[in-house]
Amino acid sequence: MSARVCIRLLKDFPVLGKEGTVHVVTKKYADQYLLPEKIAVIVPITTVYEPSGPPSPKIRPMLKLGDLKTGGFEASMRELRLPPMRFFLKTTPDLPIQSVSWEWVEPGRLRLLPQGNIYVKIEYAKHRYLATLEYVQSLASRKVRKPIIVDGSNVGWLSGEPSVSGLFEVYYYIAKRSDQFYFPLLWVFDRSFRRVLKWGEKKIFDEFCRYAGVKVVDYADREVFETAKSLKTPYILSNDRFKEFFTEGYIRISL
């Protein structure tokens, strides 16, 4: 189970709640997003609930994203600046403008994904891609550069050990940190990546692989370049320098 911390919001944040409210979130989500963006500060976990009786009206636990039917979730949805459910997008100069639509991931499926982001399905060119809400918000508002090929087995080792957490950090990086925006994301994994994951993360990885744009192969490095060539995109996201490959003409982006 992921380590969790207690945070207090320094300003209104629609996904969680109003300024001053206290929530329990994953430590990784707090360390890599809420604290650096000055959205929240860590507080002692004993302040989440009153010592006795029901929770204070001003203090509530973290929103359970796995249950879309809760009143708290619906209230938060009304506060979000949601992009249009359908909009038009031009991904590359050689392709015509195409329609893009999105919808929420089903409640049952959400339970198979890490908490901390709200997950959506993006429908584009008759395929459904997994993404986060902040990613689809950026998709609707930013200029798309081109598709990008993600070396999934590599970014999955970003923290020094195999974990699916690194995969979901890619959405945040492209939506919030990258100077250029890329869509769609095409993922390539070594078949061995799933075997080294912890048991609980194997289910998350299996859910991740249900969506379009994910390939699991015997040798991911070669497939990364073959996929980039077939899609006529030079952009590859990986921390691997691919010294054994001829990389001229490709642009490697690292986290």
Side-chain angles (χ1 to χ4, degrees):
M1 181 178 293
S2 300
R4 295 182 177 275
V5 294
C6 187
I7 55 96
R8 185 178 71 251
L9 294 179
L10 298 176
K11 55 186 177 183
D12 291 353
F13 186 51
V15 173
L16 291 177
K18 296 290 187 180
E19 176 183 353
T21 55
V22 178
H23 311 270
V24 176
V25 299
T26 62
K27 186 176 187 303
K28 188 177 185 68
Y29 186 45
D31 289 345
Q32 297 193 6
Y33 182 67
L34 298 177
L35 273 61
E37 294 293 332
K38 301 188 185 325
I39 294 173
V41 293
I42 292 179
V43 295
I45 200 164
T46 53
T47 63
V48 179
Y49 295 106
E50 299 286 347
S52 61
S56 166
K58 294 184 179 180
I59 299 177
R60 63 182 177 84
M62 185 184 72
L63 185 65
K64 293 182 179 179
L65 301 181
D67 185 3
L68 298 184
K69 298 185 181 302
T70 60
F73 189 91
E74 292 174 348
S76 293
M77 289 302 97
R78 289 193 293 269
E79 297 176 9
L80 289 174
R81 295 189 299 274
L82 298 179
M85 301 301 288
R86 183 178 296 274
F87 52 93
F88 293 94
L89 187 70
K90 189 173 182 64
T91 54
T92 59
D94 56 330
L95 290 177
I97 295 176
Q98 297 197 48
S99 173
V100 177
S101 62
W102 67 275
E103 59 183 289
W104 302 108
V105 171
E106 300 89 341
R109 294 294 178 186
L110 278 175
R111 294 188 178 93
L112 297 175
L113 298 170
Q115 291 190 358
N117 288 307
I118 298 177
Y119 296 94
V120 301
K121 296 177 290 186
I122 299 175
E123 186 161 336
Y124 168 76
K126 298 182 180 180
H127 296 291
R128 285 189 172 184
Y129 299 90
L130 178 67
T132 60
L133 176 61
E134 61 192 3
Y135 180 87
V136 77
Q137 286 173 325
S138 294
L139 177 63
S141 61
R142 295 181 63 181
K143 180 181 178 180
V144 174
R145 187 66 176 179
K146 266 194 173 184
I148 190 169
I149 315 304
V150 183
D151 183 3
S153 302
N154 180 272
V155 299
W157 282 83
L158 190 61
S159 58
E161 61 181 14
S163 174
V164 295
S165 298
L167 312 183
F168 297 99
E169 291 301 317
V170 172
Y171 294 107
Y172 170 71
Y173 172 80
I174 293 178
K176 299 296 184 181
R177 299 294 190 193
S178 175
D179 292 335
Q180 298 180 350
F181 188 84
Y182 305 94
F183 175 79
L185 274 60
L186 290 307
W187 301 79
V188 182
F189 294 92
D190 284 312
R191 205 173 304 280
S192 60
F193 180 71
R194 185 185 187 278
R195 292 199 295 268
V196 297
L197 291 173
K198 296 178 181 178
W199 182 85
E201 292 199 329
K202 292 183 191 292
K203 290 185 177 181
I204 298 175
F205 182 70
D206 291 341
E207 176 65 14
F208 189 90
C209 292
R210 290 182 64 250
Y211 297 90
V214 181
K215 291 182 179 180
V216 180
V217 298
D218 292 328
Y219 187 35
D221 286 1
R222 181 180 294 113
E223 186 65 31
V224 164
F225 287 95
E226 290 181 355
T227 304
K229 183 178 180 180
S230 67
L231 293 175
K232 299 180 181 179
T233 180
Y235 299 104
I236 295 171
L237 194 152
S238 177
N239 295 304
D240 189 345
R241 295 188 177 277
F242 300 108
K243 292 182 179 180
E244 69 275 28
F245 288 91
F246 180 73
T247 59
E248 183 176 346
Y250 293 96
I251 300 172
R252 185 182 63 86
I253 300 164
S254 59
L255 293 177

